Amino acid sequence: MTNSITQNALRSLLYEVVTEPKPGLVDPGSPGPHPDMDIYTFIDSSISLESYFATAVKIGQTFHSTDLTQMFQQLRQRGITAEKEMFTATHGANTHKGAIFALGIFVCAESYSMTNKTELFLTITKMCKGLVQHDLVQNNELQTAGEQEFVKYKIGGARAQAEQGYPIVREVALPFLKSSTGTVQTRLLDTLMKIATIVVDSNLIKRAGNYDVVKWLHQEATKYLDLGGYAAAAGKKQLQKLSKECLVHNYSLGGCADLLIVTIFVAFERGYI
Ligand SMILES: CC(C)(COP(=O)(O)OP(=O)(O)OC[C@H]1O[C@@H](n2cnc3c(N)ncnc32)[C@H](O[C@H]2O[C@H](COP(=O)(O)OP(=O)(O)OP(=O)(O)O)[C@@H](O)[C@H]2O)[C@@H]1O)[C@@H](O)C(=O)NCCC(=O)NCCS
Ligand SMILES: Nc1ncnc2[nH]cnc12
């Protein structure tokens, strides 16, 4: 029987990818700026990660040392294998590399917190303490987008969010989703765009080849919410315009998608949706 935390992790991946219409992202209606993927790639990718999330739950349940960075190291070893399992399932498409990292941390931390009666986000900060220093400051091989952007723009990307305990989720996205109303589709689209008003998405910066795109996204996403979000005709129109612009410029909001995924996960765990 699959553990309920594992089930909620898989549900959050599927709820995110089926939500449409999402700018710069894959959904049932369009692969967006991702010619190497479609909705079926994401379903295959999600299913391939079930075993990884089950292991993340087990690591959280059975970890007894005081230094939680060691729990993250255990998770990371299994996460590296999960990346390979994902790439096998997707025939080489990078669907969930960032989600393997972020959602894996949330699943492991949730399992540990439930076992030890600790606070979820505080647990995450203890797991990820020193991550930017370890991965980026002390690292000389600038291979990935995140590593290159750290040097070029002094941003920590996904690692910085994790080390800070995901303030975008804790302080903004989760309270927003909790208080949102309407259909699940509307609530999730508006939460995605709420995230897009503040995130520094390293995936978007990689696609754009500059940092200025971040301000553009923040402004466009703010405009969408000011126009009433997906429940309003004007909001829908703004979203269509944003989708078209992402397609024309090959902009991906992969980081926003991953933050939505972990927000949905915590919302499932707390009964907000
Ligand atoms: C820490 C890692 C995520 C390392 O990844 P990297 O060094 O690349 O660091 P970042 O660029 O900072 O982040 C990588 C992915 O994380 C998502 N992301 C981006 N910004 C944020 C943010 N501010 N907060 C949270 N998450 C963020 C995003 O992932 C999504 O986009 C990817 C799809 O991108 P796409 O451009 O379509 O596909 P590509 O193939 O990459 O390029 P194209 O050729 O198509 O243009 C997809 O991954 C989404 O999830 C960023 O891309 C972590 O992976 C890590 O530590 N890796 C080392 C090995 C390891 O330890 N793995 C196990 C970790 S448990
Ligand atoms: N729907 C999506 N499209 C593209 N990249 C993603 N990463 C996570 N979810 C995604």
Side-chain angles (χ1 to χ4, degrees), residues 173-181 187 272:
L174 195 59
F176 182 92
L177 177 54
K178 183 182 180 185
S179 63
S180 65
T181 57
R187 295 177 67 193
Y272 297 165

Side-chain angles (χ1 to χ4, degrees), residues 42-268:
F42 274 83
I43 293 170
D44 293 342
S45 179
S46 302
I47 302 302
S48 80
L49 297 176
E50 177 173 11
S51 159
Y52 164 60
F53 293 126
T55 304
V57 169
K58 197 144 189 60
I59 291 171
Q61 273 170 346
T62 57
F63 188 81
H64 297 300
S65 166
T66 49
D67 178 2
L68 291 185
T69 63
Q70 294 308 308
M71 184 164 79
F72 175 67
Q73 287 313 319
Q74 278 183 39
L75 176 71
R76 189 164 226 181
Q77 291 319 307
R78 181 61 183 85
I80 291 169
T81 306
E83 281 180 9
K84 297 186 178 82
E85 291 163 346
M86 172 198 81
F87 281 120
T88 301
T90 65
H91 308 297
N94 174 14
T95 45
H96 286 128
K97 181 171 168 265
I100 286 170
F101 173 75
L103 188 53
I105 288 171
F106 271 86
V107 166
C108 184
E110 174 74 348
S111 174
Y112 178 88
S113 300
M114 289 177 73
T115 306
N116 297 281
K117 308 270 180 294
T118 57
E119 201 281 324
L120 173 64
F121 291 97
L122 183 60
T123 300
I124 290 175
T125 54
K126 289 177 178 176
M127 282 174 74
C128 300
K129 187 164 172 280
L131 189 56
V132 170
Q133 175 72 20
H134 172 268
D135 275 19
L136 299 174
V137 174
Q138 293 166 358
N139 175 4
N140 302 316
E141 299 140 41
L142 302 179
Q143 286 162 342
T144 66
E147 289 157 358
Q148 289 160 10
E149 288 172 21
F150 177 73
V151 173
K152 195 169 177 188
Y153 307 113
K154 289 285 168 276
I155 55 171
R159 295 175 179 83
Q161 263 306 306
E163 187 165 1
Q164 294 157 18
Y166 291 91
I168 287 181
V169 178
R170 185 181 73 247
E171 296 163 13
V172 180
L174 195 59
F176 182 92
L177 177 54
K178 183 182 180 185
S179 63
S180 65
T181 57
T183 63
V184 172
Q185 175 190 20
T186 295
R187 295 177 67 193
L188 296 188
L189 281 172
D190 289 1
T191 303
L192 174 69
M193 298 315 287
K194 185 65 180 174
I195 290 166
T197 63
I198 50 175
V199 73
V200 177
D201 188 327
S202 71
N203 183 229
L204 174 61
I205 295 168
K206 176 188 70 175
R207 290 295 189 95
N210 66 69
Y211 189 87
D212 296 343
V213 70
V214 172
K215 190 163 172 237
W216 168 83
L217 178 65
H218 292 179
Q219 288 169 340
E220 290 299 311
T222 301
K223 207 183 295 176
Y224 164 82
L225 292 171
D226 289 348
L227 288 168
Y230 201 66
K236 284 190 177 72
K237 204 154 173 287
Q238 168 64 4
L239 200 60
Q240 278 164 359
K241 176 183 153 249
L242 199 38
S243 290
K244 281 200 184 80
E245 294 195 23
C246 285
L247 217 42
V248 163
H249 297 293
N250 197 37
Y251 289 165
S252 165
L253 306 188
C256 296
D258 288 346
L259 290 168
L260 177 64
I261 287 167
V262 296
T263 302
I264 295 170
F265 170 72
V266 180
F268 279 143

